[in-house]
Amino acid sequence: QLQLVESGGGLVQPGESLRLSCVDSGSNIEMYDIGWFRQAPGKEREFVAEITWRGARTDYADSVKGRFTISRDNAKNTVFLRMNSLKPEDTAVYYCAADRNYPISRPESWGQGTQVTVSS
């Protein structure tokens, strides 16, 4: 089972960028499809982006298309989420999750989350 750890969150102003990282300390991330999800206060967790284990395919929520980019470096056991042109509505705790199936539906592992706050 993976041990996923997210990092890279923080407080930024609207229009700025962040890059989140999801690292697997067990060095098995290359075997899994990985997704990013987010949960804002008072709302349900929602899908953001996902990438297949080789990185050949990616998919995005409509709300982030054109602004966010998911990528991976299996040699570094890491999946990234580059977030550009951030908006206040992007404020949430961001989680990465691992699944052996694509699209991701029943993740086997979740990280603990990293807070992203977009505010002026």
Side-chain angles (χ1 to χ4, degrees):
Q1 191 172 12
L2 300 186
Q3 296 178 336
L4 303 175
V5 178
E6 302 95 336
S7 63
L11 171 63
V12 295
Q13 295 187 347
E16 294 186 339
S17 299
L18 281 174
R19 188 179 76 162
L20 306 184
S21 297
C22 173
V23 178
D24 166 41
S25 59
S27 302
N28 292 316
I29 204 168
E30 64 183 8
M31 300 171 62
Y32 291 81
D33 302 322
I34 301 295
W36 284 96
F37 297 78
R38 66 186 182 187
Q39 187 166 19
K43 295 186 177 181
E44 294 187 353
R45 186 151 49 188
E46 64 175 3
F47 165 77
V48 175
E50 59 186 339
I51 187 167
T52 53
W53 66 281
R54 284 186 176 178
R57 177 175 174 174
T58 58
D59 288 286
Y60 298 89
D62 289 342
S63 59
V64 307
K65 279 182 182 176
R67 301 189 297 123
F68 290 13
T69 303
I70 188 171
S71 62
R72 67 191 300 159
D73 185 342
N74 287 338
K76 295 182 178 179
N77 303 311
T78 305
V79 175
F80 303 99
L81 184 68
R82 177 69 178 183
M83 306 186 295
N84 295 330
S85 302
L86 282 161
K87 305 174 181 180
E89 51 263 43
D90 295 317
T91 295
V93 178
Y94 284 71
Y95 302 89
C96 61
D99 195 343
R100 295 182 188 267
N101 300 304
Y102 195 94
I104 292 172
S105 58
R106 294 183 178 181
E108 295 181 20
S109 299
W110 290 89
Q112 84 291 345
T114 185
Q115 176 70 48
V116 172
T117 303
V118 185
S119 175
S120 55

